Amino acid sequence: MNTNETIDLGVDLGMGAIKLYGVEGGLALPSFVGVGGRPLLAQSAGVGSKQSVLQVKLGSLSFYVGQNAHSFGRPVENLDYSRLTQSPEITALFYGAMTEYMQTYGEIDQPISIIAGLPLEMMGEDNAKESADAIRKWMKGEHTWDANGTSYQITVANVKASSQPVGALMDFLLNEEGGYQPGRKSLAKDKIGVISVGFNTIEILLMESSKVVHRMSNGSTFGVRRLLELLNPERLYSLGELNVMMRAGNLDLSEALPVWQQQVLGEIEKLWGKEWKRCKRIIIVGGGSIILGDKLWSKFQGKAHLSDDPVQSISRGLYKMLVKSSKRGK
């Protein structure tokens, strides 16, 4: 490959995990950050030798990132959207995800072109330019960091921003060569719904003739965090610690899950009413969709399309958008 060419990378800046997707494949790093040090916590749990954590250094600052970050450092849990616009923790998480991506797929010596997926509220009519400019300001340029004692460097040449549910829509419509999936080009002109159930938010998007129907599109903070909060009324655990417990099957969801399921369905009903019946397809993605089980599938009476990879779907769709754009520019 010509060294002047850029490498395309879709980046889903999720509050539950940062997902990266490129030509080699995808990767997800849980979006949990710890600072300081609490090594005795892991030792006292009897798993000190089994747990591993990624430590990212930014100058004189040091952060633990990923699945076990809250077992090693003091939790940093800022779920405000401002976290995504060059906070120290989002920088550390991005570097941590890039570290694991390069460890998995190999070093990146060429400049990178990125489309970053942001919550729908950040990419609304009034906020899109400001959000895109803020993301571009901290992502574009030279990046150097240290992770677990190894130095890394990348160059981000181009940065664009899109909403996360648009990424999911593109994943449904396009293949990885940037063309349309068989039989789906005509669907782009129809009415299509997207529901992304993430860690922090539920993103609900309605598209008609390739345009956003703004009155039927919105994001709300009823993601998986609300389920975990129901299980943690005294706030004895961080959300990161609860997430680890849930993934390990060590949380009893039997009472809280039906409550959260109804909250999610209520948010959709409040926004869409019966409008969804006019959709040709309703695309369902996000890690929370796995926890919801068949609730959304049964609600939409055969119109639902469940992604084959609901966690990676948004970043994969953003990558496909870049590939399509690159082909158009040649």
Side-chain angles (χ1 to χ4, degrees):
M1 183 179 289
N2 188 320
T3 55
N4 291 324
E5 293 182 358
T6 60
I7 292 176
D8 293 333
L9 197 64
V11 180
D12 177 7
L13 293 173
M15 295 291 197
I18 288 187
K19 280 80 69 175
L20 309 180
Y21 199 93
V23 66
E24 301 291 344
L27 179 143
L29 177 74
S31 295
F32 303 116
V33 180
V35 297
R38 294 196 303 170
L40 292 179
L41 178 61
Q43 301 268 348
S44 66
V47 293
S49 62
K50 295 181 181 179
Q51 283 191 330
S52 62
V53 70
L54 190 60
Q55 186 176 27
V56 175
K57 291 187 177 180
L58 311 177
S60 61
L61 300 177
S62 183
F63 300 85
Y64 297 108
V65 298
Q67 180 79 352
N68 296 316
H70 292 180
S71 291
F72 287 82
R74 186 175 68 254
V76 178
E77 292 194 314
N78 171 20
L79 296 180
D80 187 84
Y81 294 145
S82 63
R83 178 187 188 178
L84 304 180
T85 53
Q86 205 182 8
S87 64
E89 59 264 33
I90 196 63
T91 305
L93 284 165
F94 176 62
Y95 290 170
M98 288 302 309
T99 298
E100 294 204 346
Y101 190 87
M102 289 190 283
Q103 288 176 347
T104 302
Y105 299 112
E107 294 291 322
I108 297 177
D109 297 323
Q110 296 160 255
I112 303 171
S113 290
I114 285 175
I115 290 189
L118 300 173
L120 195 57
E121 189 171 338
M122 292 183 71
M123 295 304 293
E125 288 182 291
D126 297 331
N127 305 319
K129 185 181 185 305
E130 181 181 353
S131 297
D133 287 345
I135 292 297
R136 191 178 298 112
K137 183 177 179 180
W138 77 263
M139 267 196 168
K140 187 175 180 180
E142 301 284 339
H143 298 268
T144 303
W145 70 95
D146 178 280
N148 287 359
T150 301
S151 295
Y152 295 87
Q153 182 175 356
I154 59 171
T155 299
V156 178
N158 304 298
V159 180
K160 298 179 181 179
S162 181
S163 72
Q164 291 162 340
V166 167
L169 175 62
M170 292 300 104
D171 187 41
F172 171 77
L173 292 175
L174 302 178
N175 59 36
E176 293 200 20
E177 290 71 48
Y180 282 96
Q181 300 267 21
R184 293 182 182 174
K185 184 174 183 178
S186 61
L187 289 174
K189 299 177 181 178
D190 289 317
K191 182 169 284 192
I192 300 180
V194 180
I195 298 172
S196 174
V197 186
F199 185 81
N200 188 44
T201 61
I202 305 169
E203 306 281 306
I204 305 172
L205 176 73
L206 200 65
M207 300 284 290
E208 187 168 17
S209 300
S210 300
K211 296 181 180 180
V212 177
V213 182
H214 291 283
R215 66 184 180 85
M216 292 287 180
S217 302
N218 195 23
S220 63
T221 56
F222 277 90
V224 176
R225 64 174 282 200
R226 298 289 188 172
L227 171 63
L228 297 179
E229 287 169 353
L230 289 171
L231 298 166
N232 193 33
E234 297 183 46
R235 298 187 178 182
L236 298 178
Y237 302 92
S238 72
L239 291 173
E241 290 168 328
L242 288 168
N243 183 69
V244 172
M245 294 164 67
M246 181 173 65
R247 288 170 180 261
N250 294 331
L251 286 180
D252 181 2
L253 303 180
S254 59
E255 293 185 0
L257 183 57
V259 176
W260 178 63
Q261 287 173 333
Q262 289 306 311
Q263 289 178 333
V264 173
L265 293 174
E267 288 297 299
I268 298 168
E269 178 69 23
K270 184 166 60 177
L271 185 62
W272 278 359
K274 298 186 183 301
E275 186 80 11
W276 63 266
K277 293 186 176 183
R278 297 172 56 189
C279 291
K280 290 288 186 180
R281 293 286 189 282
I282 296 171
I283 300 152
I284 299 172
V285 302
S289 68
I290 300 172
I291 302 170
L292 284 168
D294 64 355
K295 284 293 182 180
L296 293 180
W297 176 265
S298 58
K299 174 178 175 60
F300 295 122
Q301 302 171 6
K303 291 180 179 285
H305 171 86
L306 303 180
S307 171
D308 66 312
D309 191 343
V311 172
Q312 205 73 56
S313 177
I314 290 171
S315 61
R316 187 171 63 184
L318 295 170
Y319 165 72
K320 292 175 180 180
M321 289 172 65
L322 271 176
V323 174
K324 182 178 176 64
S325 176
S326 297
K327 286 178 63 176
R328 191 167 52 236
K330 290 181 179 178

